[in-house]
Amino acid sequence: DAGVIQSPRHEVTEMGQEVTLRCKPISGHDYLFWYRQTMMRGLELLIYFNNNVPIDDSGMPEDRFSAKMPNASFSTLKIQPSEPRDSAVYFCASSPGTSGALTDTQYFGPGTRLTVL
Amino acid sequence: AQSVAQPEDQVNVAEGNPLTVKCTYSVSGNPYLFWYVQYPNRGLQFLLKYITGDNLVKGSYGFEAEFNKSQTSFHLKKPSALVSDSALYFCAVRDRAGGFKTIFGAGTRLFVKA
């Protein structure tokens, strides 16, 4: 199994530009999560999906952030327009969604390091 | 509100010595508790979790953690540290009534010296 795949691994952009981060979860996993990691705020849950449906987006910081999951094998996190304070490492994670779903562990991708100049 | 505290930014230990990484939590109900490890430029990897039952949980790479309800703690331990254990460790809590919202601690950097 290839694990959770994220692209790009590194993104450098200028303030005001649109940024799109991509994630391919592990095949068969029903849950997908987007996290942001910064030195100041640690690891924060932004949004999660169950069977492609957004369940909780309360962690999305602003309207500039949006996430979609058009199918079970692909999700995007978009920032438009980007700002320097969005600089962080963004992780995607997936989990199986078995009968004890709340006890499932999460499998993290390698992350996308975003730098907004 | 849920919260997790990892009181130590860094833990230093000599190879072969036991290690402890501390974690305390606060949730309104009964918790699910997790430990993850992060190596440089990598995503988090699952180590172990407490769901119910035996308070001592054994996980990957020889790590274990003890759930203490009265002290609301879930400290990570290993009897004999390896240099390769050097990494960033995260404690996380999920309230059973709170859905999938998982709160992560700030992380503790473990440095094992040869």
Side-chain angles (χ1 to χ4, degrees), chain A residues 9 31 33 35 37 42-43 45 48 56 58-59 91 95 101-111 113, chain B residues 32 34 36 38 41-46 49 51 88 90 94-102 104-106:
Chain A
R9 293 293 308 276
Y31 288 84
F33 307 81
Y35 289 89
Q37 185 179 37
L43 196 64
L45 176 65
Y48 77 89
D56 185 348
S58 60
F91 288 104
S95 66
L102 282 180
T103 65
D104 281 350
T105 60
Q106 296 178 27
Y107 297 80
F108 284 76
R113 183 174 296 276
Chain B
Y32 295 127
F34 303 80
Y36 287 83
Q38 184 180 28
N41 300 314
R42 302 283 296 275
L44 280 68
Q45 297 176 32
F46 169 75
K49 63 184 174 183
I51 304 303
L88 188 57
F90 291 93
R94 184 182 293 159
D95 187 340
R96 298 181 189 213
F100 271 92
K101 191 170 183 67
T102 305
F104 285 81

Side-chain angles (χ1 to χ4, degrees), chain B residues 11-90:
Chain B
V11 170
N12 298 307
V13 65
E15 188 174 34
N17 284 359
L19 68 88
T20 299
V21 182
K22 296 180 181 178
C23 171
T24 59
Y25 66 90
S26 174
V27 298
S28 56
N30 292 316
Y32 295 127
L33 294 157
F34 303 80
W35 275 102
Y36 287 83
V37 60
Q38 184 180 28
Y39 297 99
N41 300 314
R42 302 283 296 275
L44 280 68
Q45 297 176 32
F46 169 75
L47 276 181
L48 51 79
K49 63 184 174 183
Y50 171 79
I51 304 303
T52 187
D54 194 348
N55 290 343
L56 184 64
V57 179
K58 295 188 182 295
S60 306
Y61 312 119
F63 284 93
E64 58 188 29
E66 185 167 12
F67 171 63
N68 188 317
K69 188 173 183 178
S70 62
Q71 297 185 3
T72 61
S73 67
F74 190 56
H75 300 332
L76 181 70
K77 300 180 180 183
K78 186 174 182 180
S80 179
L82 300 172
V83 173
S84 57
D85 293 331
S86 298
L88 188 57
Y89 290 81
F90 291 93

Side-chain angles (χ1 to χ4, degrees), chain A residues 29-104:
Chain A
H29 282 193
D30 292 337
Y31 288 84
L32 184 139
F33 307 81
W34 281 101
Y35 289 89
R36 177 172 68 175
Q37 185 179 37
T38 62
M39 289 294 293
M40 292 296 295
R41 300 176 67 89
L43 196 64
E44 305 171 278
L45 176 65
L46 300 177
I47 185 172
Y48 77 89
F49 296 82
N50 179 23
N51 292 324
N52 315 337
V53 177
I55 302 301
D56 185 348
D57 65 355
S58 60
M60 296 286 263
E62 299 172 34
D63 291 345
R64 299 184 295 106
F65 286 69
S66 62
K68 294 182 179 180
M69 193 166 186
N71 57 62
S73 60
F74 183 66
S75 178
T76 59
L77 178 67
K78 185 176 294 186
I79 308 172
Q80 166 62 19
S82 59
E83 297 182 3
R85 59 196 170 113
D86 301 331
S87 297
V89 180
Y90 291 81
F91 288 104
C92 176
S94 67
S95 66
T98 54
S99 59
L102 282 180
T103 65
D104 281 350

